Amino acid sequence: MLRVGFSRVDVTPPLGSYVSGYYQKRFAKGILDPLELNALACNDGERTVLLIIADFIGVDRVYCDVIREKISARVGIPAEHIMLSSLHQHTSVCISMDEPHTRNDLFYMESLYRKYCDVAQMAIDDMKDAVAKLSSGETAEPIAFIRKYLMKDGSIIGHPYHRRDEILKRLGEADNTVRLIRFRRVGAKDIALVNFCTHPDVIGGEYLSADWPGFVRRFVERDLEDVSCLLLNGVQGDSNHCDYLEHDEIPKGYAHSEYMGRMIADTVERLWDSGRDLEVTRVGERIGIVSLPTRTEGMEDYEACKKLLEELKNGTCKTNPSGAERGRASRISRLHDAPIFQKLPVTVMKLGEVFVVGFGGEPFTEYARALRRALPDTEIFTACCTNGDEGYLPTKEEFKMGGYEPASSPFPSDLQNHCVDMALDLIASLS
């Protein structure tokens, strides 16, 4: 018999914490809404698996490994049965030695380790007999868009802010599907596991927030009776909320984040009593490591790249470098201490007929489509920044086209094939 549990803890960092992203120094001035860990525990009578989703921009692999070992020691399940994912919203901290918040606030870090263990323990303690339903549907209007455009001059740009009249076409379509597992429990709240894919970089600024995923959780729990909600952000490396073809002004801010959350939550509510019964007689999890040589081209520009990044963060840069130039500088500035091989975790969690596939970085939309083409009869949820956050994970085609994401990625151009093959092997081992 399937048993499922849920728990939640607040992990909002103190004001003054370093807010990651955007190549500029930002420090938390306030809190728009709390940052959380949300946990799901599932047991099939023999094995227990844990999914913990953090409202962080990311957690580096070395920290994920430590956290999973600490959780394992606390609750007594194998570390490889624990999936840690982050939302990657840009109004939060990053748990990384590259960030001053992680290096300097040791009190917060020690508290964070304990809270990860606490949320895992409480989710396991909360497990009750359950049955599951699976459903999916499109949002009423598209709210996610591929962020790469072919311009009339033949160039390819990710964010053509002031060149919208020069756009020829968008290079691809984002996935606006909401995927839902509803766990109905005996004598306890139902649990909604919601999967949607796009960058949560809508709000910006220096106030902490879970962005649109936080709104999804709050709307679902407010509008549906006796429900706890988790939001799992999927393949989002090449998508965001900006539609440069249609919008006269690019929407942003807290109000648009709320709008996106409302659209996804409305879809969840529409799907709530529909779908098909999901047979969950077995759960399991496997973690594999894709190991590929680090890209080293450009090392001769190391000092210039470091200087550019410092000027961008300090607001003293006298030029306006392109996204690709910023991405290249970011990648090259890390080469001095980079390992010879990049190690990227790929994690698969089995929930009966559903496989949750997590990549340790920011996978592009095509990663999920490649998996679904290979396994057309298999239900697949995806997760970004899972058991690590090792950067952008573009496709081979994207590496050829160039732009910010491929320029910043430390991986070689055949990355996608290795990641997808690893995921397929892990799924087969759990089937």
Side-chain angles (χ1 to χ4, degrees):
M1 178 68 181
L2 174 67
R3 290 169 57 79
V4 181
F6 170 85
S7 67
R8 171 178 292 157
V9 299
D10 188 314
V11 289
T12 309
L15 299 189
S17 296
Y18 187 82
V19 181
S20 301
Y22 300 136
Y23 294 98
Q24 57 188 253
K25 289 184 178 178
R26 294 185 295 154
F27 299 92
K29 291 181 178 179
I31 301 167
L32 294 174
D33 43 80
L35 306 186
E36 300 170 343
L37 299 177
N38 286 272
L40 177 75
C42 297
N43 176 274
D44 63 6
E46 296 182 14
R47 291 164 296 273
T48 298
V49 294
L50 276 167
L51 169 62
I52 303 176
I53 307 168
D55 292 353
F56 295 140
I57 197 166
V59 181
D60 281 2
R61 180 172 59 87
V62 290
Y63 288 101
C64 285
D65 290 347
V66 170
I67 292 167
R68 287 169 40 243
E69 290 295 340
K70 287 180 178 291
I71 292 172
S72 177
R74 166 79 78 85
V75 303
I77 68 173
E80 58 268 24
H81 284 190
I82 302 166
M83 176 182 278
L84 308 179
S85 187
S86 296
L87 294 180
H88 196 74
Q89 87 277 25
H90 287 45
T91 41
S92 184
V93 298
C94 184
I95 308 302
S96 166
M97 276 303 293
D98 292 335
E99 302 289 358
H101 172 80
T102 308
R103 293 196 307 269
N104 300 333
D105 196 340
L106 300 182
F107 177 82
Y108 177 77
M109 288 301 298
E110 184 58 34
S111 172
L112 181 62
Y113 290 145
R114 295 180 67 176
K115 288 188 174 185
Y116 264 104
C117 292
D118 288 348
V119 80
Q121 182 69 68
M122 290 189 294
I124 290 173
D125 292 346
D126 183 60
M127 289 193 299
K128 303 288 192 301
D129 291 349
V131 294
K133 275 188 173 293
L134 174 71
S135 54
S136 64
E138 300 288 304
T139 53
E141 298 176 8
I143 55 175
F145 307 91
I146 294 296
R147 58 182 194 178
K148 187 153 286 192
Y149 297 82
L150 176 64
M151 311 302 286
K152 292 177 182 177
D153 64 2
S155 62
I156 295 172
I157 296 180
H159 300 281
Y161 295 105
H162 305 297
R163 297 180 58 187
R164 276 170 283 176
D165 58 341
E166 301 175 46
I167 296 173
L168 188 61
K169 64 177 180 178
R170 184 187 296 112
L171 295 175
E173 294 298 326
D175 184 359
N176 278 276
T177 305
V178 176
R179 294 177 171 84
L180 169 68
I181 300 178
R182 176 185 180 181
F183 296 100
R184 301 185 66 175
R185 301 195 297 164
V186 177
K189 286 185 177 182
D190 287 1
I191 300 171
L193 176 60
V194 181
N195 191 206
F196 192 78
C197 313
T198 200
H199 247 83
D201 64 344
V202 185
I203 298 172
E206 295 176 286
Y207 287 78
L208 299 171
S209 172
D211 210 308
W212 59 261
F215 278 111
V216 174
R217 297 191 303 246
R218 292 191 293 276
F219 283 143
V220 168
E221 293 177 355
R222 185 191 71 185
D223 297 343
L224 295 172
E225 187 175 354
D226 292 331
V227 178
S228 299
C229 179
L230 304 92
L231 189 289
L232 184 65
N233 195 11
V235 288
Q236 47 70 52
D238 59 342
S239 66
N240 66 6
H241 62 288
C242 301
D243 182 4
Y244 292 99
L245 289 173
E246 298 294 335
H247 293 149
D248 292 332
E249 292 186 10
I250 301 305
K252 60 183 179 179
Y254 203 64
H256 190 70
S257 175
E258 181 179 18
Y259 163 76
M260 292 177 67
R262 181 73 270 169
M263 292 287 288
I264 298 167
D266 283 350
T267 309
V268 171
E269 292 166 27
R270 188 176 76 243
L271 298 171
W272 192 241
D273 291 316
S274 65
R276 65 178 180 84
D277 292 339
L278 178 63
E279 191 74 23
V280 186
T281 57
R282 184 185 172 203
V283 302
E285 189 168 333
R286 296 281 191 277
I287 301 173
I289 299 292
V290 171
S291 182
L292 296 171
T294 299
R295 288 172 64 196
T296 58
E297 68 266 22
M299 187 64 183
E300 66 276 8
D301 297 327
Y302 174 77
E303 292 298 334
C305 289
K306 279 197 69 175
K307 180 181 178 183
L308 174 60
L309 290 181
E310 283 301 314
E311 289 175 347
L312 287 169
K313 288 186 177 181
N314 293 329
T316 59
C317 187
K318 296 179 181 179
T319 62
N320 184 24
S322 68
E325 290 169 331
R326 295 175 189 226
R328 181 176 182 272
S330 177
R331 176 182 63 81
I332 292 172
S333 70
R334 298 192 297 269
L335 284 177
H336 189 274
D337 299 316
I340 296 175
F341 286 88
Q342 295 288 325
K343 296 185 181 298
L344 177 74
V346 178
T347 309
V348 174
M349 175 181 287
K350 177 181 175 64
L351 299 175
E353 306 162 56
V354 174
F355 292 90
V356 181
V357 181
F359 299 97
E362 299 185 66
F364 279 30
T365 304
E366 176 60 24
Y367 279 56
R369 290 182 174 144
L371 287 171
R372 293 185 178 115
R373 284 196 302 270
L375 300 171
D377 298 322
T378 301
E379 299 289 346
I380 294 174
F381 284 32
T382 58
C384 67
C385 302
T386 299
N387 288 334
D389 181 12
E390 310 306 310
Y392 281 106
L393 313 180
T395 66
K396 193 165 189 174
E397 188 63 29
E398 289 284 343
F399 275 107
K400 291 179 183 177
M401 288 193 291
Y404 166 63
E405 298 91 349
S408 68
S409 178
F411 298 98
S413 62
D414 58 349
L415 171 67
Q416 180 193 336
N417 289 340
H418 291 277
C419 289
V420 171
D421 288 347
M422 175 67 77
L424 293 173
D425 288 346
L426 294 172
I427 290 172
S429 72
L430 287 166
S431 296

